[in-house]
Amino acid sequence: MPDSAPQRFPGRPGDWVLYKDNQLIAFNKPAGMAVVPDKKKSANLLQIGAAYAHHDLYPIHRLDRPVSGVVLFGKKSSAQASVSTQFQERTVTKTYLAVVAERPEQDEATLVHYIREGKGNTSEIVDQSDPASKRAELSYRYLGSSDRYHLLEIKLLTGRKHQIRAQLGAIGSPLRGDTKYGFKRANEGKSIDLHAYTLAFDHPISGARVELKAPLPEGVVWEAFGGIVGL
């Protein structure tokens, strides 16, 4: 059944557009919105974006529902295939910003864990010997602190389900609001403070490097870090 009380999101679809041409369109997805239709049958960016663009859209990558930031769609299946191949070949670069309550012991490090799918739509850290496990690697860098929280820059080196969430939880620095991975309290609207900040790829026609940046979400926690990231 559809959600009885649809969630409201800031602004209008046109306000979320970060980039568009005849091949591609990118949005700054609000936290709490699904990228594609799911069993909850609630608002999703694919359908909202297609209605805004008056054009069928083709998903290239996804973000978890509670996460905000850059999401790219193809306007043509050929554009979708081209950029999807870049994701597979790891020539796409992605940067995330993460707000955590516990500052990691090291200000900069590369994390390597082994992850498998867990119960209740989670991923769990397991031993490398587990036959169902997949290697997960990311690098992080401490950027600064507010009165209560700390900001990390995250670069994914692999792309596993809930990877950032599980790996930060494993080192004792769960994302603010992420009760699945160790934070004590949920955020309003069940969002988590993880933002897909930048995305860079080669344009499927021109080959030119396209670099996209998504403004930070609204709210006092993110606003406290605006000066740190130059916004």
Side-chain angles (χ1 to χ4, degrees):
M1 294 292 290
D3 291 345
S4 57
Q7 185 173 351
R8 297 183 65 86
F9 299 101
R12 298 172 296 178
D15 300 328
W16 308 336
V17 175
L18 299 172
Y19 176 90
K20 61 180 177 179
D21 62 17
N22 64 352
Q23 299 290 320
L24 301 161
I25 187 167
F27 297 93
N28 185 7
K29 183 185 85 70
M33 179 181 289
V35 172
V36 298
D38 60 18
K39 58 186 178 183
K40 291 187 177 182
K41 297 183 180 180
S42 54
N44 66 85
L45 189 58
L46 177 63
Q47 292 176 337
I48 292 172
Y52 165 81
H54 304 289
H55 202 294
D56 288 341
L57 300 181
Y58 300 87
I60 294 172
H61 66 119
R62 301 183 187 185
L63 296 178
D64 293 343
R65 180 191 287 266
V67 178
S68 59
V70 182
V71 176
L72 182 67
F73 296 100
K75 287 185 174 179
K76 299 180 180 181
S77 59
S78 57
Q80 176 197 41
S82 175
V83 183
S84 295
T85 297
Q86 295 177 50
F87 271 92
Q88 294 165 8
E89 295 176 348
R90 299 184 184 176
T91 60
V92 173
T93 57
K94 298 177 287 183
T95 300
Y96 292 78
L97 296 175
V99 176
V100 298
E102 300 298 329
R103 181 172 172 176
E105 291 184 6
Q106 296 177 281
D107 283 348
E108 191 168 349
T110 296
L111 304 180
V112 177
H113 293 93
Y114 289 82
I115 289 179
R116 72 177 182 189
E117 189 160 348
K119 297 179 180 179
N121 190 32
T122 63
S123 291
E124 58 184 3
I125 305 294
V126 295
D127 188 80
Q128 181 179 355
S129 62
D130 190 309
S133 69
K134 295 181 178 179
R135 189 176 188 274
E137 184 176 358
L138 63 77
S139 63
Y140 73 81
R141 182 167 65 97
Y142 166 76
L143 296 181
S145 299
S146 65
D147 291 343
R148 297 180 59 189
Y149 301 109
H150 312 283
L151 184 68
L152 307 179
E153 177 188 78
I154 309 288
K155 293 189 177 180
L156 280 179
L157 303 173
T158 57
R160 309 302 182 199
K161 177 181 176 180
H162 292 190
Q163 178 180 335
I164 296 173
R165 301 169 65 179
Q167 289 194 270
L168 289 183
I171 65 168
S173 298
L175 293 156
R176 179 179 176 270
D178 198 359
T179 56
K180 282 188 176 183
Y181 295 95
F183 199 81
K184 294 180 180 179
R185 301 178 304 281
N187 290 345
E188 184 178 354
K190 298 182 179 179
S191 67
I192 60 176
D193 285 1
L194 180 63
H195 182 63
Y197 185 47
T198 68
L199 179 72
F201 59 93
D202 296 333
H203 193 275
I205 301 300
S206 70
R209 194 70 170 171
V210 179
E211 297 185 359
L212 306 178
K213 182 182 291 186
L216 300 185
E218 297 178 355
V220 293
V221 172
W222 283 109
E223 288 170 4
F225 293 114
I228 294 174
V229 296
L231 294 177

